[in-house]
Amino acid sequence: MANLAQASDVEAALVRNLTAAELVFVERLLGQASAVVRRWCHQQIDRVVGDVVTVEGDGTDFLLLPELPIVSVASVVINGVTVAASSYDVIDGGLRVAGTYLPSERRFDWGPGGWWPFLPIVVTYTHGFDVGVYADVVGVVADLVAGRVRTGTSNPGGVVSESIGSYAVGFGHTPPAMEMRLTVDQKRTLGPFRRTLASVPVRRAFDLPIIS
């Protein structure tokens, strides 16, 4: 996965250029900070084109996809058969069966009333935000890294030596690992990008009308 911020964003947060020694470890720190943000948001956040996921159908008319926002859906395949795009709508973070179905009106043989079957469903889709949309996320990642640089604890992985081209840096001892933590304000900033159980309305099987 690509980092959610770049070294230049860290320099903007610090309001100065990074030193050669700092640059050696900033990429590592950016990866760590990006992972912290993604774990808290339960989302990858940046744009991914043509991602292929397998989701288990649960007998409802709604198939929840793991990443938001959904930009487009290229295909939905069940048991090797491609489902017609007219058979579902992209809505609320997933795929909802289109229209009101009775067994005699199904466009795809996927269960009574047109519900997604209890089967693995392969979805190819594009998801995530444009870079300009998640600028606040970039800011949080850059701030996490800048904070580590300011305190001089820019070697979270305990690296004793590392080099880039002709430049090399070494340590006489292995610095202790330190965990990055989000502040309350940073969590508030990331709130719009976080997916929770309440983020997407999902009707379970026992909520569905009985079709006789």
Side-chain angles (χ1 to χ4, degrees), residues 136-147:
D136 287 343
V137 175
V138 174
V140 169
V141 172
D143 283 343
L144 285 171
V145 176

Side-chain angles (χ1 to χ4, degrees), residues 23-25 28 155 159-164 167-171:
L23 280 168
V24 171
F25 298 105
R28 186 188 303 274
N155 185 27
V159 177
V160 176
S161 65
E162 190 163 333
S163 62
I164 295 179
Y167 179 82
V169 61
F171 300 93

